[in-house]
C-alpha cells in the first residue's frame, strides 16, 4: 500500500484531483494507517458541499475513526453511507453498544447477520483463505454479542470465561494487523485497554514486527491515554471501590501528572492537556463537534497535523505504572531507528527499577541472599518489576551487540573508502584532463540534469510524506546514534554485554533465553581468544567455565528447537578444555541437572570425539 501510494503521488496531475483519484488516495492512506494525512483531507471534504465525495469516503471515514478509538465520531459518517454498504448495520450495532443501548444493538446484529447470509453461503465452497473475511465478519458479530453479555451480566465467572475465550481466539487467528485492530477496538467496548494490557502489547509488538509503526504508535497512545483516564476516575470516584494498591498508584500517577502539566503548560495548548493526561473538567465539557476539532484536527508546527497531538509519548511513558508498557515502548523506539534515545531511556528505567527493588548489578549476591529474594518469589509488584527488569537487561545486551557489530562494519567501510581514495588519487589526476573535451562536457551536463530531476523528486516526495522515493539521508541518523553509543561504551562494551545478561539471569533464574544468551556470549568470547591468542587459565575461568554453567542451565530449561545446538556447544567446550580441572568440575556439576534424553540425540557426536 505504501508503494501504490507513492505511485499515486508521482502520477497525479494538477492541484485538483479527480473524484476517483481522491477515492483511491483515501483508501491507500487508510490501508497504510496514515491517520495524520487523512485527518485534514476529511476536514476539507466534510466542510465542503460535494455530497458524492462524502458518500464515497464515508465508509473509510467510519473505519479509521473507529480504528483511532472514537466510536462517537462514526455518527458523522452514518448519514452518508450508501444503502447497500455491508458494514452499515455492524457500525450501527457498535455505536448502540458503545452508548449502552443494548436492545437496539442486538437488533442491528440480527439485521447484519441476515444481510450477510447470502454472501456467506456463496463462500462455503471456496478455499479457507478466500472465505476468511466472511468468517471474520461472523466472528465480529458473535464477539459483539459477547461484549453485550459481558456488559450486562453481574457474574464475574461469566466475564472471566468471555475474556479468556477472546484471548484464545485472538492468538489463534490469522496474524493480520488490520483484523487484530478491529478485534481490539471491539473488545474495548467491554474491557478497557488498561485492563487488557497483555493483549494490547501483543498487538503492538505484532504491528511493530510487521512494519506497521503508525498503527503501533497510535495503539500506544490510546493505551496510555486510557491509563490516564482510569486513574482520573479512581481519584475522583469512591476510594473504597478499588484496592489500596490501585489507589496508591492513582495518587502517585496524579502527582506526576501535575508535575508534567506544570512543566509543559507554557508550550502546550490547554485543551490538549486533559486529552493526553486524563479527562479533566475541560475535556468533560467538550461537545461532539468540539471534540472532533480539538482531538483530530489539532495542528502542530508549520500548520501540519501533529501525530502525537502536541505531547511527546516519551513524556507520557514516564508516567505509567506498568513496567510492561515501558519495555514495549523502548523496543518501539528502537525499531523507529531512534537508537540513542531508546538506549538512554532504557538505562533511565533500568536504574529506576533497580533502585525500586534494591538490585545492584555490580553486587548481585546481595539481591539473591537478601530479603528481595522472598519478595521476588511472590506475586507482588516487586516481582513484576524484577520480571521486566530482567527483560530490559537482556534487551540492553542485544542492543549492545548490534552496536558493536554495526560500529565494526562502519569502521570497515571507512577504512575501505579511505583506501580507495588514496589508491585512486593518481588515476583521477590522470583522467582529469580528458574531461575538458566537448563530448565529455556534454555527458557531464546530462548527468547533472538527471541528478537535478531526482533531487526535485526527492524533495517533492519528502514534502508529501511519501517514503518510497524519499531521500536516504535519514539513514545517517541511525549511523550517528550507533557511533555515539559505541564511543560511549568504549572498550568495555563486551563486559557490559556479559554484565547485562548476567543481571537478567539473576533477576529471572528460570528464563531460558537469558541463560542461553549468557552462555552463547561467553562461548563467542572464548572463540575470539582462540582465534587471536592462546587461551590462558584466566580466560578459562572468565569465559569457559561460565559458558558451561550457562549451557547446562539453558539445557535444563530447554526449548525443543534450540537444545541440540546448546548441547553440541557444551560438548565442544568440554572436549576442547577438559584438561583443566575447573572445566571438569563445571561439567560434573552441570550434568546433574541435564535430563537424560538430552544426551541421546548427541550420542554420535560423543562417540566421534572419544579417543580410544
Amino acid at each position: 500500500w505504501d508503494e501504490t501510494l507513492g505511485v499515486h503521488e508521482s502520477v497525479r496531475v494538477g492541484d485538483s484531483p479527480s473524484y476517483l483519484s481522491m477515492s483511491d488516495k483515501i483508501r491507500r492512506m487508510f490501508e497504510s494507517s496514515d491517520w495524520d494525512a487523512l485527518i485534514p483531507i476529511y476536514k476539507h471534504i466534510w466542510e465542503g458541499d460535494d455530497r458524492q465525495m462524502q458518500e464515497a469516503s464515508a465508509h473509510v471515514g467510519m473505519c479509521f475513526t473507529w480504528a483511532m478509538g472514537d466510536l462517537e465520531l462514526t455518527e458523522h459518517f452514518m448519514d452518508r453511507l450508501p444503502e447497500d454498504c455491508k458494514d452499515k448495520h455492524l457500525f450501527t450495532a457498535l455505536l448502540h453498544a458503545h452508548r449502552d443501548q443494548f436492545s437496539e444493538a442486538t437488533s442491528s446484529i440480527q439485521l447484519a447477520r441476515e444481510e450477510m447470509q447470502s454472501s456467506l453461503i456463496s463462500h462455503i465452497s471456496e478455499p479457507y483463505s478466500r472465505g476468511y473475511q466472511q468468517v471474520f465478519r461472523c466472528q465480529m458479530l458473535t464477539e459483539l454479542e459477547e461484549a453485550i453479555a459481558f456488559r450486562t451480566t453481574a457474574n464475574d465467572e461469566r466475564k472471566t470465561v468471555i475474556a479468556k475465550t477472546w484471548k484464545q481466539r485472538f492468538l489463534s487467528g490469522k496474524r493480520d494487523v488490520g483484523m487484530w485492530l478491529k478485534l481490539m477496538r471491539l473488545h474495548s467496548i467491554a474491557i478497557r485497554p488498561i485492563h487488557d494490557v497483555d493483549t494490547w502489547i501483543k498487538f503492538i509488538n505484532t504491528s511493530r514486527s510487521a512494519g506497521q509503526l503508525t498503527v503501533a504508535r497510535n495503539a500506544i497512545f490510546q493505551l496510555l491515554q486510557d491509563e490516564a483516564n482510569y486513574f482520573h476516575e479512581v481519584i475522583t470516584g469512591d476510594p473504597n471501590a478499588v484496592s489500596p494498591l490501585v489507589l496508591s498508584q492513582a495518587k502517585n500517577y496524579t502527582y506526576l501528572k501535575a508535575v508534567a502539566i506544570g512543566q509543559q503548560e507554557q508550550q502546550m495548548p490547554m485543551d490538549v492537556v486533559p486529552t493526553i493526561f486524563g479527562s479533566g473538567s475541560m475535556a468533560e465539557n467538550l461537545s461532539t463537534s468540539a471534540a472532533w476539532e480539538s482531538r483530530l484536527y489539532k495542528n502542530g508546527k508549520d500548520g501540519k497535523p501533529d501525530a502525537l497531538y502536541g505531547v511527546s509519548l516519551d513524556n507520557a511513558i514516564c508516567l505509567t505504572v506498568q513496567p510492561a508498557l515501558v519495555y514495549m515502548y523502548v523496543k518501539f523506539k528502537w525499531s523507529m531507528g531512534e537508537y540513542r534515545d531508546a538506549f538512554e531511556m532504557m538505562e533511565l528505567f533500568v536504574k529506576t527499577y533497580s533502585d525500586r527493588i534494591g538490585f545492584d548489578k555490580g553486587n548481585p549476591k546481595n539481591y539473591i541472599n537478601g530479603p528481595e529474594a522472598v519478595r521476588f518469589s511472590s506475586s507482588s509488584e516487586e516481582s513484576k518489576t524484577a520480571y521486566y527488569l530482567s527483560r530490559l537487561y537482556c534487551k540492553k545486551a542485544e542492543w549492545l551487540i548490534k552496536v558493536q557489530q554495526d560500529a565494526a562494519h562502519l569502521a570497515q567501510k571507512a577504512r575501505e573508502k579511505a583506501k580507495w581514495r588514496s589508491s585512486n588519487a593518481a588515476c583521477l589526476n590522470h583522467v582529469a584532463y580528458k574531461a575538458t573535451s566537448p563530448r565529455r562536457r556534454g555527458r557531464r551536463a546530462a548527468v547533472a540534469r538527471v541528478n537535478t530531476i531526482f533531487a526535485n523528486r526527492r524533495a517533492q516526495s519528502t514534502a508529501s510524506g511519501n517514503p518510497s522515493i524519499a531521500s536516504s539521508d535519514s539513514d545517517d541518523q541511525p549511523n550517528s546514534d550507533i557511533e555515539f553509543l559505541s564511543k560511549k561504551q568504549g572498550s568495555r562494551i563486551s563486559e557490559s554485554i556479559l554484565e547485562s545478561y548476567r543481571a537478567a539471569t539473576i533477576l529471572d533464574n528460570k528464563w531460558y533465553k537469558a541463560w542461553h544468551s549468557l552462555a552463547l556470549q561467553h562461548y563467542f568470547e572464548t572463540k575470539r581468544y582462540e582465534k587471536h591468542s592462546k587461551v590462558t587459565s584466566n580466560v578459562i575461568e572468565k569465559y569457559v567455565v561460565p559458558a558451561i554453567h550457562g549451557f547446562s542451565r539453558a539445557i535444563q530449561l530447554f526449548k525443543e528447537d534450540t537444545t541440540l545446538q546448546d548441547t553440541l556447544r557444551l560438548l565442544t567446550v568440554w572436549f576442547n578444555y577438559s584438561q583443566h580441572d575447573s572445566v571438569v568440575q563445571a561439567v560434573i556439576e552441570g550434568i546433574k541437572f541435564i535430563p537424560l534424553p538430552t544426551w541421546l540425540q548427541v550420542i554420535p557426536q560423543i562417540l566421534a570425539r572419544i579417543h580410544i
Side-chain angles (χ1 to χ4, degrees), residues 332-386:
F332 169 76
K333 283 189 70 68
W334 185 271
S335 64
M336 292 284 290
E338 303 174 8
Y339 298 151
R340 178 176 176 179
D341 293 343
F343 193 87
E344 291 179 347
M345 178 177 287
M346 172 179 282
E347 287 191 319
L348 172 65
F349 281 106
V350 163
K351 184 179 184 305
T352 301
Y353 293 154
S354 297
D355 294 341
R356 182 180 301 176
I357 64 175
F359 176 74
D360 183 7
K361 181 179 66 173
N363 195 7
K365 291 184 178 181
N366 291 341
Y367 180 80
I368 298 175
N369 301 324
E372 288 80 5
V374 179
R375 291 187 293 175
F376 178 69
S377 61
S378 63
S379 58
S380 61
E381 287 299 311
E382 287 83 358
S383 168
K384 187 184 299 183
T385 302

Coordinates of all heavy atoms in Angstrom, one line a residue, residues 332-386:
F332 N 9.8 -0.2 20.8 CA 9.2 0.5 19.7 C 10.1 1.6 19.2 O 10.3 1.9 18.0 CB 7.8 1.1 20.1 CG 7.2 2.1 19.2 CD1 6.6 1.7 18.0 CD2 7.3 3.4 19.5 CE1 6.1 2.6 17.2 CE2 6.7 4.4 18.7 CZ 6.1 3.9 17.5
K333 N 10.7 2.4 20.1 CA 11.6 3.5 19.8 C 12.8 2.9 19.0 O 13.3 3.6 18.1 CB 12.0 4.3 21.0 CG 11.0 5.2 21.5 CD 11.5 6.1 22.6 CE 12.5 7.1 22.1 NZ 11.9 8.1 21.2
W334 N 13.3 1.8 19.4 CA 14.5 1.2 18.8 C 14.1 0.9 17.3 O 14.9 1.1 16.4 CB 15.0 0.0 19.5 CG 16.2 -0.6 19.0 CD1 16.3 -1.5 18.0 CD2 17.6 -0.2 19.4 NE1 17.7 -1.8 17.8 CE2 18.5 -1.1 18.6 CE3 18.1 0.7 20.3 CZ2 19.8 -1.0 18.7 CZ3 19.5 0.7 20.4 CH2 20.4 -0.1 19.6
S335 N 12.9 0.3 17.1 CA 12.5 -0.1 15.8 C 12.3 1.1 14.9 O 12.3 1.0 13.7 CB 11.2 -0.9 15.9 OG 10.2 -0.2 16.4
M336 N 12.0 2.3 15.5 CA 11.9 3.5 14.7 C 13.2 4.1 14.3 O 13.3 5.1 13.5 CB 11.2 4.6 15.6 CG 9.7 4.3 15.9 SD 8.6 4.6 14.5 CE 8.7 6.3 14.4
G337 N 14.3 3.5 14.7 CA 15.6 4.0 14.3 C 16.2 5.0 15.3 O 17.3 5.5 15.0
E338 N 15.5 5.2 16.4 CA 16.0 6.2 17.4 C 16.8 5.5 18.4 O 16.4 5.3 19.6 CB 14.8 6.9 18.0 CG 13.9 7.6 17.0 CD 12.6 8.2 17.6 OE1 12.5 8.1 18.9 OE2 11.7 8.6 16.9
Y339 N 18.0 5.0 18.0 CA 18.8 4.1 18.8 C 19.3 4.8 20.1 O 19.2 4.3 21.2 CB 20.0 3.6 18.0 CG 19.6 2.8 16.8 CD1 20.4 2.7 15.7 CD2 18.4 2.0 16.8 CE1 20.1 2.0 14.6 CE2 18.1 1.3 15.7 CZ 18.9 1.2 14.6 OH 18.6 0.5 13.5
R340 N 19.8 6.0 19.9 CA 20.3 6.7 21.1 C 19.2 7.0 22.1 O 19.4 6.8 23.3 CB 21.0 8.0 20.6 CG 21.5 8.9 21.8 CD 22.2 10.1 21.2 NE 22.7 11.0 22.3 CZ 23.4 12.1 22.2 NH1 23.7 12.5 20.9 NH2 23.8 12.8 23.2
D341 N 18.1 7.6 21.7 CA 17.0 7.9 22.6 C 16.5 6.6 23.3 O 16.2 6.6 24.5 CB 15.9 8.6 21.9 CG 16.3 10.0 21.4 OD1 17.3 10.5 21.9 OD2 15.6 10.5 20.5
A342 N 16.3 5.6 22.5 CA 15.8 4.3 23.1 C 16.8 3.8 24.1 O 16.3 3.3 25.2 CB 15.6 3.3 22.0
F343 N 18.1 3.8 23.8 CA 19.0 3.2 24.8 C 19.1 4.1 26.0 O 19.2 3.5 27.2 CB 20.4 3.2 24.1 CG 21.4 2.4 24.8 CD1 21.5 1.0 24.7 CD2 22.3 2.9 25.8 CE1 22.4 0.2 25.3 CE2 23.2 2.2 26.5 CZ 23.3 0.8 26.3
E344 N 19.1 5.4 25.9 CA 19.2 6.2 27.1 C 17.9 6.1 27.9 O 18.0 6.2 29.2 CB 19.4 7.7 26.7 CG 20.8 7.9 26.1 CD 21.0 9.4 25.6 OE1 20.0 10.1 25.6 OE2 22.2 9.8 25.4
M345 N 16.8 6.0 27.3 CA 15.5 5.8 28.0 C 15.6 4.5 28.8 O 15.1 4.4 29.9 CB 14.3 5.9 27.1 CG 13.0 5.6 27.8 SD 11.6 5.8 26.7 CE 11.6 7.5 26.5
M346 N 16.1 3.4 28.1 CA 16.2 2.1 28.8 C 17.1 2.2 30.0 O 16.8 1.7 31.1 CB 16.7 1.1 27.8 CG 17.1 -0.2 28.5 SD 17.7 -1.5 27.3 CE 16.2 -2.0 26.6
E347 N 18.2 2.9 29.9 CA 19.1 3.0 31.0 C 18.5 3.8 32.2 O 18.7 3.4 33.3 CB 20.4 3.7 30.6 CG 21.3 2.9 29.7 CD 22.7 3.5 29.6 OE1 22.7 4.7 29.4 OE2 23.7 2.8 29.6
L348 N 17.7 4.8 31.8 CA 16.9 5.5 32.9 C 16.0 4.6 33.6 O 16.0 4.6 34.9 CB 16.2 6.7 32.2 CG 15.2 7.4 33.2 CD1 16.0 8.1 34.3 CD2 14.4 8.4 32.4
F349 N 15.2 3.8 32.9 CA 14.3 2.9 33.6 C 14.9 1.8 34.3 O 14.5 1.3 35.3 CB 13.2 2.4 32.6 CG 12.2 3.4 32.3 CD1 12.1 4.1 31.1 CD2 11.2 3.7 33.2 CE1 11.2 5.0 30.8 CE2 10.2 4.7 32.9 CZ 10.2 5.3 31.7
V350 N 16.0 1.3 33.8 CA 16.8 0.2 34.4 C 17.3 0.7 35.8 O 17.2 0.0 36.8 CB 18.0 -0.2 33.5 CG1 19.0 -1.0 34.4 CG2 17.5 -1.1 32.4
K351 N 17.8 1.9 35.8 CA 18.2 2.5 37.1 C 17.0 2.7 38.1 O 17.1 2.4 39.3 CB 18.9 3.8 36.9 CG 19.5 4.4 38.2 CD 20.2 5.7 37.9 CE 20.9 6.3 39.2 NZ 20.0 6.4 40.3
T352 N 15.9 3.2 37.5 CA 14.7 3.4 38.4 C 14.2 2.1 39.0 O 14.0 2.0 40.2 CB 13.6 4.1 37.6 OG1 14.2 5.3 37.0 CG2 12.4 4.4 38.4
Y353 N 14.1 1.1 38.2 CA 13.5 -0.2 38.6 C 14.5 -0.9 39.5 O 14.1 -1.6 40.5 CB 13.1 -1.1 37.4 CG 12.0 -0.5 36.6 CD1 11.8 -0.9 35.3 CD2 11.0 0.3 37.2 CE1 10.7 -0.4 34.6 CE2 9.9 0.8 36.5 CZ 9.8 0.4 35.2 OH 8.8 0.9 34.4
S354 N 15.8 -0.8 39.3 CA 16.8 -1.4 40.1 C 16.8 -0.8 41.5 O 16.9 -1.5 42.5 CB 18.2 -1.3 39.5 OG 18.3 -1.9 38.2
D355 N 16.7 0.5 41.6 CA 16.6 1.2 42.9 C 15.3 0.8 43.6 O 15.3 0.7 44.8 CB 16.6 2.7 42.7 CG 18.0 3.2 42.2 OD1 19.0 2.4 42.3 OD2 18.1 4.3 41.7
R356 N 14.2 0.6 42.8 CA 13.0 0.3 43.5 C 13.0 -1.1 44.2 O 12.4 -1.3 45.2 CB 11.9 0.3 42.4 CG 10.4 0.0 42.9 CD 9.4 0.0 41.8 NE 9.4 1.3 41.1 CZ 8.7 1.6 40.1 NH1 7.9 0.6 39.6 NH2 8.7 2.8 39.5
I357 N 13.6 -2.1 43.6 CA 13.7 -3.4 44.2 C 15.0 -3.7 44.9 O 15.2 -4.8 45.4 CB 13.4 -4.5 43.1 CG1 14.6 -4.5 42.1 CG2 12.1 -4.3 42.4 CD1 14.4 -5.7 41.1
G358 N 15.9 -2.8 44.9 CA 17.1 -3.0 45.6 C 18.1 -3.9 44.9 O 18.8 -4.6 45.6
F359 N 18.2 -3.8 43.6 CA 19.1 -4.6 42.9 C 20.3 -3.8 42.4 O 20.2 -2.7 41.9 CB 18.4 -5.2 41.6 CG 19.3 -6.0 40.7 CD1 19.7 -7.3 41.1 CD2 19.7 -5.5 39.5 CE1 20.5 -8.0 40.3 CE2 20.5 -6.2 38.7 CZ 20.9 -7.5 39.1
D360 N 21.5 -4.4 42.7 CA 22.8 -3.8 42.3 C 23.5 -4.7 41.3 O 23.9 -5.8 41.7 CB 23.6 -3.5 43.5 CG 24.9 -2.8 43.1 OD1 25.0 -2.4 41.9 OD2 25.8 -2.6 44.0
K361 N 23.6 -4.3 40.1 CA 24.2 -5.2 39.1 C 25.7 -5.5 39.4 O 26.1 -6.6 39.1 CB 24.2 -4.5 37.7 CG 24.8 -5.3 36.6 CD 24.6 -4.5 35.2 CE 25.5 -3.3 35.2 NZ 25.5 -2.6 33.9
G362 N 26.3 -4.6 40.1 CA 27.7 -4.8 40.4 C 27.9 -5.8 41.6 O 29.0 -6.3 41.8
N363 N 26.8 -5.9 42.4 CA 26.9 -6.8 43.6 C 25.6 -7.6 43.7 O 24.8 -7.4 44.6 CB 27.1 -6.0 44.9 CG 27.5 -6.8 46.1 OD1 27.8 -8.0 45.9 ND2 27.6 -6.2 47.2
P364 N 25.4 -8.6 42.8 CA 24.2 -9.3 42.7 C 23.9 -10.3 43.8 O 22.8 -10.6 44.1 CB 24.3 -10.0 41.4 CG 25.7 -10.2 41.1 CD 26.4 -9.0 41.7
K365 N 25.0 -10.7 44.6 CA 24.8 -11.7 45.6 C 23.9 -11.1 46.8 O 23.2 -11.8 47.4 CB 26.1 -12.1 46.2 CG 26.9 -12.9 45.2 CD 28.2 -13.4 45.9 CE 29.0 -14.3 44.9 NZ 30.2 -14.8 45.5
N366 N 24.0 -9.8 47.0 CA 23.2 -9.2 48.0 C 21.7 -9.3 47.6 O 20.8 -9.4 48.5 CB 23.5 -7.7 48.1 CG 24.9 -7.5 48.8 OD1 25.4 -8.4 49.4 ND2 25.5 -6.3 48.6
Y367 N 21.4 -9.3 46.3 CA 20.0 -9.4 45.9 C 19.5 -10.8 46.0 O 18.4 -11.1 46.4 CB 19.8 -8.9 44.5 CG 18.4 -9.0 43.9 CD1 17.5 -8.1 44.2 CD2 18.0 -10.1 43.1 CE1 16.2 -8.2 43.8 CE2 16.7 -10.2 42.7 CZ 15.8 -9.2 43.0 OH 14.5 -9.3 42.5
I368 N 20.4 -11.8 45.7 CA 20.0 -13.2 45.8 C 19.8 -13.6 47.2 O 18.8 -14.3 47.5 CB 21.1 -14.1 45.1 CG1 21.2 -13.7 43.6 CG2 20.7 -15.5 45.3 CD1 22.3 -14.4 43.0
N369 N 20.6 -13.2 48.1 CA 20.5 -13.7 49.5 C 19.8 -12.7 50.4 O 19.6 -13.0 51.6 CB 22.0 -13.8 50.1 CG 22.8 -14.8 49.3 OD1 22.3 -15.8 48.8 ND2 24.1 -14.5 49.1
G370 N 19.4 -11.6 49.9 CA 18.7 -10.6 50.7 C 17.2 -10.8 50.8 O 16.7 -11.8 50.3
P371 N 16.5 -9.9 51.4 CA 15.0 -10.0 51.6 C 14.3 -9.9 50.2 O 13.2 -10.3 50.1 CB 14.6 -8.9 52.5 CG 15.8 -7.9 52.4 CD 17.0 -8.7 52.1
E372 N 15.0 -9.3 49.2 CA 14.3 -9.1 47.9 C 14.0 -10.5 47.3 O 13.1 -10.6 46.5 CB 15.2 -8.3 47.0 CG 15.3 -6.8 47.3 CD 16.2 -6.5 48.4 OE1 16.9 -7.5 48.9 OE2 16.3 -5.4 48.9
A373 N 14.8 -11.5 47.6 CA 14.6 -12.9 47.1 C 13.2 -13.4 47.5 O 12.5 -14.1 46.8 CB 15.7 -13.8 47.5
V374 N 12.8 -13.1 48.7 CA 11.5 -13.5 49.2 C 10.4 -12.8 48.5 O 9.4 -13.4 48.0 CB 11.4 -13.3 50.7 CG1 10.0 -13.7 51.2 CG2 12.5 -14.0 51.5
R375 N 10.6 -11.5 48.2 CA 9.5 -10.8 47.5 C 9.4 -11.2 46.1 O 8.4 -11.2 45.5 CB 9.9 -9.3 47.6 CG 9.7 -8.7 49.0 CD 9.9 -7.2 49.0 NE 11.2 -6.8 48.6 CZ 11.6 -5.6 48.4 NH1 10.7 -4.6 48.6 NH2 12.9 -5.3 48.1
F376 N 10.6 -11.6 45.5 CA 10.6 -12.0 44.1 C 9.8 -13.3 43.9 O 9.2 -13.5 42.9 CB 12.0 -12.1 43.6 CG 12.1 -12.6 42.2 CD1 11.7 -11.8 41.1 CD2 12.5 -13.9 41.9 CE1 11.8 -12.2 39.8 CE2 12.6 -14.3 40.6 CZ 12.2 -13.5 39.5
S377 N 9.8 -14.1 44.9 CA 9.2 -15.4 44.8 C 7.6 -15.3 44.9 O 6.9 -16.2 44.6 CB 9.7 -16.4 45.8 OG 9.4 -15.9 47.1
S378 N 7.1 -14.2 45.4 CA 5.7 -14.0 45.5 C 5.2 -13.3 44.3 O 5.9 -13.0 43.3 CB 5.4 -13.1 46.7 OG 6.0 -11.8 46.6
S379 N 3.8 -13.0 44.3 CA 3.2 -12.3 43.2 C 3.0 -10.8 43.4 O 2.0 -10.3 43.1 CB 1.8 -13.0 42.9 OG 1.0 -12.9 44.1
S380 N 4.0 -10.2 44.0 CA 3.9 -8.8 44.4 C 4.3 -7.9 43.2 O 4.7 -8.4 42.2 CB 4.8 -8.5 45.6 OG 6.1 -8.8 45.3
E381 N 4.2 -6.6 43.4 CA 4.6 -5.6 42.4 C 6.1 -5.7 42.2 O 6.6 -5.5 41.1 CB 4.1 -4.2 42.8 CG 2.6 -4.0 42.7 CD 2.1 -4.2 41.3 OE1 2.8 -3.6 40.3 OE2 1.2 -4.9 41.1
E382 N 6.9 -6.0 43.3 CA 8.3 -6.1 43.1 C 8.7 -7.2 42.2 O 9.6 -7.2 41.5 CB 9.0 -6.3 44.5 CG 9.0 -5.0 45.4 CD 7.7 -4.8 46.1 OE1 6.7 -5.6 45.9 OE2 7.6 -3.8 46.9
S383 N 7.9 -8.3 42.3 CA 8.1 -9.5 41.4 C 7.9 -9.1 40.0 O 8.7 -9.5 39.1 CB 7.2 -10.6 41.8 OG 7.2 -11.6 40.9
K384 N 6.8 -8.3 39.7 CA 6.6 -7.9 38.3 C 7.7 -7.0 37.8 O 8.1 -7.1 36.7 CB 5.2 -7.2 38.3 CG 4.7 -6.9 36.9 CD 3.4 -6.1 36.9 CE 2.3 -7.0 37.5 NZ 1.0 -6.3 37.4
T385 N 8.1 -6.1 38.7 CA 9.2 -5.2 38.3 C 10.5 -5.9 38.0 O 11.2 -5.6 37.0 CB 9.4 -4.1 39.4 OG1 8.2 -3.4 39.7 CG2 10.5 -3.2 39.1
A386 N 10.8 -6.9 38.9 CA 12.0 -7.7 38.6 C 11.9 -8.5 37.3 O 12.9 -8.7 36.6 CB 12.2 -8.7 39.8

